[in-house]
Amino acid sequence: KVKGGWERPISSFRSIFSFILESRNDMPDHLGGVVWYGQDKPHGTVYLPFSCAQDDIPKSFVIGKQSQFDPSESSAWRAFNFVNNWAMLRYDIISIDIAQKQHEWQPKAISLVKTVRKSNNKNSSLDEITKVYNNFASAVVKDWWKLGWTLVGRYSDGFIIEGEDQGQLKNPGYPGWWLKQTSFATWPGNTYNPPSPGYSARMSTYSIQQNILEFESVQS
């Protein structure tokens, strides 16, 4: 075992949610108090506005399990978690698609709050504001699920798939600097390093021991 740790960034890959609380003392509470809530990792989310006074949110925000993938539930958290995890296949490329969607929805969210505050006053119905915010959040979640399935179709087996024709299948490859640090740049050559004697036997024994430990852990 190696003792140590990693510096934890603001946008940790293990993040389940994050939020920003906005408080305004020049407005009624239901207008000035806004929770900007983001599902999953901060770097791959859209911060959605909810009034601090509303007591009802879309169903998609209260369902979903970390241990179970069920698209039929249309869970808000799972939509963002699914997209962010798929991006790990080729983050340098897929993150661009995600950023485009973020830049499409985040300004709309900010503009929505400004519009709600401008068009409402102390006599505004909280139910009306709740409906506006919830409808917007539901629209974003629906579009994020659509984005997820688009990414599945477009990025598969290391390719970028733009269509069904042969010319619409692209191989992005790897950066030149990375290839130069591997054996790729010296191939063909003496690049094969066979396992040391007894390696296979040691690995087989290790695998058996791990299976036994996992089985005993489940039984206990």
Side-chain angles (χ1 to χ4, degrees), residues 27-119:
M27 298 179 181
D29 290 346
H30 65 290
L31 289 175
V34 173
V35 178
W36 295 88
Y37 190 86
Q39 296 281 15
D40 205 58
K41 304 165 185 58
H43 67 259
T45 193
V46 175
Y47 285 93
L48 304 172
F50 295 98
S51 170
C52 68
Q54 69 181 80
D55 57 6
D56 177 58
I57 58 176
K59 181 181 177 181
S60 63
F61 280 76
V62 294
I63 59 176
K65 299 178 180 179
Q66 294 188 66
S67 60
Q68 181 178 336
F69 182 75
D70 186 358
S72 64
E73 290 184 340
S74 299
S75 163
W77 171 77
R78 180 59 76 180
F80 285 90
N81 176 262
F82 175 45
V83 167
N84 286 332
N85 273 275
W86 196 264
M88 292 183 182
L89 292 175
R90 277 301 296 262
Y91 186 81
D92 59 327
I93 299 175
I94 301 178
S95 62
I96 297 175
D97 288 27
I98 299 175
Q100 289 176 346
K101 277 295 180 181
Q102 289 176 300
H103 294 161
E104 174 186 337
W105 282 108
Q106 196 61 71
K108 290 181 180 179
I110 296 173
S111 178
L112 178 66
V113 173
K114 291 181 179 180
T115 300
V116 168
R117 287 171 169 171
K118 184 177 180 180
S119 60

Side-chain angles (χ1 to χ4, degrees), residues 77-194:
W77 171 77
R78 180 59 76 180
F80 285 90
N81 176 262
F82 175 45
V83 167
N84 286 332
N85 273 275
W86 196 264
M88 292 183 182
L89 292 175
R90 277 301 296 262
Y91 186 81
D92 59 327
I93 299 175
I94 301 178
S95 62
I96 297 175
D97 288 27
I98 299 175
Q100 289 176 346
K101 277 295 180 181
Q102 289 176 300
H103 294 161
E104 174 186 337
W105 282 108
Q106 196 61 71
K108 290 181 180 179
I110 296 173
S111 178
L112 178 66
V113 173
K114 291 181 179 180
T115 300
V116 168
R117 287 171 169 171
K118 184 177 180 180
S119 60
N120 290 278
N121 51 49
K122 294 182 180 180
N123 298 321
S124 302
S125 169
L126 177 59
D127 290 338
E128 293 177 357
I129 297 176
T130 298
K131 183 178 180 180
V132 170
Y133 286 157
N134 285 356
N135 286 344
F136 181 81
S138 296
V140 173
V141 172
K142 181 179 180 180
D143 195 44
W144 226 255
W145 272 111
K146 183 180 178 180
L147 171 62
W149 298 128
T150 298
L151 297 179
V152 169
R154 188 178 186 191
Y155 301 100
S156 180
D157 296 329
F159 293 101
I160 300 177
I161 305 171
E162 301 289 356
E164 303 303 317
D165 296 335
Q166 184 175 0
Q168 294 178 302
L169 186 67
K170 302 177 182 178
N171 185 349
Y174 295 94
W177 63 264
W178 186 86
L179 293 175
K180 291 178 181 179
Q181 294 184 25
T182 69
S183 58
F184 179 87
T186 58
W187 188 91
N190 187 22
T191 58
Y192 175 66
N193 297 308

